[in-house]
Amino acid sequence: LKPFRLLVLRGKGQARCPQMGLSDESKCAIKVCGGGCCLGWVIFFIVLGTSVKYVNERQQVVYIANGRKTVEQGPFTKIIWPSTQYEVREAILVTQREYAVLKHELTQEESHEPGPGM
């Protein structure tokens, strides 16, 4: 293997490596672009890791999009992106001597349901 020779071009202030054909400015540009890409991937994986949601059997996820709501019952593990509007609801257990007051979201009507047969 031949050692690399570094030549200094007079007047331009650039060093050039004859075997590689790249100037110092080109090497710096490659490093900056490579570093920027790596930073982008690191940010992507951090967002991906924080977007993983674990929903157990006593929970449900309500997705809100364009004024409509859709429900997905647990248990499941899913990636929910930060741009998605959602809420996680916990289940409430009602005993034989208790009742639940339910309110319909569209009509705003209330109903009383005896437990635990809901």
Side-chain angles (χ1 to χ4, degrees):
L1 294 174
K2 294 182 181 179
F4 286 102
R5 291 183 310 185
L6 197 61
L7 301 176
V8 177
L9 303 175
R10 294 184 184 261
K12 293 187 178 179
Q14 296 179 351
R16 191 172 175 99
C17 179
Q19 285 85 359
M20 298 290 281
L22 297 174
S23 67
D24 283 345
E25 292 171 350
S26 297
K27 289 179 186 177
C28 182
I30 291 170
K31 289 178 185 177
V32 169
C33 289
C37 288
C38 288
L39 180 63
W41 281 106
V42 166
I43 292 171
F44 171 76
F45 282 115
I46 289 172
V47 170
L48 180 68
T50 57
S51 298
V52 175
K53 303 298 178 209
Y54 305 101
V55 178
N56 63 29
E57 64 273 353
R58 296 178 46 105
Q59 294 177 326
Q60 64 180 199
V61 177
V62 180
Y63 299 101
I64 304 164
N66 299 327
R68 296 186 60 206
K69 293 182 179 182
T70 56
V71 178
E72 188 173 358
Q73 300 288 342
F76 64 88
T77 301
K78 196 174 208 178
I79 296 174
I80 302 176
W81 292 103
S83 61
T84 305
Q85 287 185 331
Y86 70 95
E87 62 183 66
V88 177
R89 293 180 179 169
E90 294 287 332
I92 300 172
L93 291 179
V94 181
T95 65
Q96 188 109 15
R97 293 182 172 206
E98 296 177 327
Y99 66 94
V101 178
L102 305 177
K103 186 175 185 179
H104 195 278
E105 290 185 354
L106 295 178
T107 62
Q108 300 298 315
E109 291 180 11
E110 290 185 354
S111 64
H112 297 11
E113 298 290 331
M118 288 191 291

